[in-house]
Amino acid sequence: MHDLVTALKVLNSVVFVVLALVGVRRWRRRRDEAALWLALSFLCLGVVVSAGRLLPSHAHGVLEGALLRLELELLVLFPYLVFRFATAYARPSRRLLRIATTLTAALSAWTFALPSIPAAGESGPASFVVYVVAFLVHWAVLSVVVTIRLSRAGRGQPSVARKRMRLLAFGAAALTVALIASVPSGDAVALGAQIVALAAALAFLLGLDPPQFVRTSWRQPETQRLQEAIQGLMTLATTRAEVAQRVLAPVAGLVGASAAAILDADGNVLAQQAVPGAGDAVEPVEVREPGATLRVWISPYAPFFGEDELRNLHTVAALAGIALDRVRLFEQEHQSRVALERANELMANFIALAAHELRTPVTTVHGFVQTLNRLEHRLDEAQKQELRTSLEQQTVRMASLVEQLLDLSRLDAEAVEVRPQRLDLRRRLSDVVDVAAGPRAAEVQVEVVGAGTANVDPAIVDHIVTNLVTNALRYGRAPIRVSAHVHDAQVRIAVEDSGPGVAREIEETLFERFTRAGVPRDRAAGTGLGLAIARAYARAHRGDLRYEPRQPTGARFVVELPSP
């Protein structure tokens, strides 16, 4: 059994030296605080197990005594250094850090103040026994803190990070048990202590730098979910939001993110999972690839334990970018197809509308022209003049109708550009009334309440008020009143008359095309397009037009337009 214990000691020495080298290599690769603390802790153990075998069992000189104390000091420092690693990412309270540092400093000073160090198997003085007890308590307390912090931090982490953190926690606890077990004498106890120490060393080695095949095996659950998401990403996702939703949950699971978001090439958030909490990293990790950006809020331990997973985010982001580009092209093609269909529909509607509405005036003009050509010699001058006057009226009606049809076409195609500018409302409304009412302008009153200026598009105001005043003169009775009021960044213009008003049965369809205010079609001079055009212009200006009955009689039309 003694030979077995010796063989295990040699094996443990080799493993701990390898562990020290791995820790130093990892620090040289990462160069961060956590890697430095871990490298120093395993370097202490590596020096103790390698150089300690070269020291004699009995210290016969000052140099040998100093080396033995240095060996003890490295053992004192090991749990403190591991403690600093465990608290490098999640800072401990000031009180806990102060207690750990004070205990370590006091025990270090005590180590170098020991008058003598008894050899193995020798009984030491009571003061040395007290020192050993303090040493074991110090080691045990810090190891318990490390074990608890790493175990708790592993909750909610992806498989690889969680297993690595638990292995380090187990290693710290097992090494403490091995150290305490090595105090009593006896080959059986020594054998058990060496076996536990070997288990601790192997756990440290796997937790610090597990082989790639081990990581792949541990990562299998997240990999499976990610593969399923990528398959759906390339085959099933048909919209950008669906692409984002399919990739977001597997990405968050891959790195153990508490919150995650995916952005498109323009920086717009397509989807977000959860909301970053107070305990999350202040600055999220962003992975940018052409077409997509992944933004994840990871735990403080993820950069150390999940470096492979963070690298995999680049692959996921690249695939998401490809899928988003594919969907974007599909959406553009679909939008182009819809726009073309819409354009064809507008063109067909315009042609049908023009053919329907122009048929009557064109037929009338054609009849007048035929009459003049064939019967001119039978008509006297008065009859000829009447025909010419009627012919001029029909051509004016045709020109007005064509202009209205073009207005409707532009409004349907959303091709009306709104250009607001500061207007003097009273002057503008008076000018519009003079043109629209002509010789009947005296029947129309213009009134402006409050601020006399507004920031609106003058052409749109002209179109709307002209149509409303024309309707009031055509279907209503004088007096006609045009009033304007500016309030809360909005201008309200009302046109009201004293006529019979609008029949109740057509109020709901009043703003539809070819609706007249209760006047038979064959007796009306209008086309029935004026109110439809007026409302369309108001809505193009992000406003609206509505009808209100006027008391006791009459009609009242109110247009509201934003005036920022």
Side-chain angles (χ1 to χ4, degrees), residues 127-310:
S127 60
F128 185 77
V129 174
V130 175
Y131 169 80
V132 171
V133 172
F135 176 89
L136 294 176
V137 169
H138 168 264
W139 187 301
V141 169
L142 291 183
S143 295
V144 167
V145 173
V146 169
T147 301
I148 293 175
R149 289 183 72 90
L150 289 178
S151 298
R152 288 179 176 176
R155 298 172 185 171
Q157 296 300 307
S159 299
V160 174
R162 183 174 64 254
K163 292 180 183 298
R164 291 177 64 184
M165 296 169 79
R166 288 179 177 176
L167 281 171
L168 290 178
F170 170 80
L175 194 59
T176 302
V177 172
L179 184 66
I180 295 174
S182 65
V183 175
S185 59
D187 289 342
V189 176
L191 178 61
Q194 292 302 318
I195 292 174
V196 175
L198 180 60
L202 294 176
F204 277 136
L205 195 57
L206 276 177
L208 180 60
D209 195 9
Q212 193 60 47
F213 74 91
V214 175
R215 299 182 191 223
T216 302
S217 175
W218 288 347
R219 196 182 294 118
Q220 193 61 36
E222 290 85 3
T223 302
Q224 181 67 29
R225 288 194 294 269
L226 191 60
Q227 288 175 347
E228 292 174 356
I230 291 174
Q231 183 178 2
L233 194 69
M234 295 304 176
T235 58
L236 300 177
T238 57
T239 65
R240 293 161 43 137
E242 189 175 353
V243 168
Q245 288 293 350
R246 283 184 176 274
V247 77
L248 206 55
V251 162
L254 180 67
V255 296
S258 59
I262 184 169
L263 295 75
D264 61 14
D266 299 325
N268 302 312
V269 176
L270 298 178
Q272 183 163 337
Q273 177 173 299
V275 178
D280 298 322
V282 177
E283 292 296 331
V285 174
E286 286 198 354
V287 178
R288 299 178 183 272
E289 291 291 338
T293 298
L294 292 178
R295 183 180 294 165
V296 292
W297 283 263
I298 57 177
S299 77
Y301 294 95
F304 187 90
F305 292 101
E307 61 270 26
D308 289 345
E309 285 71 16
L310 292 177

Side-chain angles (χ1 to χ4, degrees), residues 30 44 99 106 162-163 245 292 307 365 387 391 498 532 544:
R30 293 186 54 85
C44 286
I99 291 174
R162 183 174 64 254
K163 292 180 183 298
Q245 288 293 350
E307 61 270 26
V365 169
L387 282 174
L391 185 61
S498 304
D544 204 359

Side-chain angles (χ1 to χ4, degrees), residues 74 90 163 181 209 232 259 262 285 303 328 335 390 406 448-449 477:
L74 293 178
K163 292 180 183 298
D209 195 9
I262 184 169
V285 174
R328 180 176 54 81
Q335 290 173 357
S390 298
L406 290 174
V448 177
V449 179
R477 283 197 295 267

Side-chain angles (χ1 to χ4, degrees), residues 378-436:
R378 299 183 185 178
L379 303 175
D380 56 28
E381 286 301 320
Q383 291 173 322
K384 292 179 182 179
Q385 183 59 39
E386 183 180 354
L387 282 174
R388 292 189 187 99
T389 301
S390 298
L391 185 61
E392 182 180 3
Q393 290 175 347
Q394 290 300 322
T395 55
V396 169
R397 182 184 177 193
M398 267 200 307
S400 174
L401 181 57
V402 168
E403 184 62 32
Q404 288 181 324
L405 290 173
L406 290 174
D407 282 345
L408 278 177
S409 177
R410 287 192 294 269
L411 289 164
D412 285 343
E414 298 181 354
V416 174
E417 190 172 354
V418 180
R419 296 189 180 93
Q421 56 183 275
R422 185 63 58 181
L423 293 182
D424 184 325
L425 284 176
R426 180 177 296 279
R427 178 180 299 176
R428 191 75 184 193
L429 293 177
S430 297
D431 292 344
V432 172
V433 167
D434 289 343
V435 173

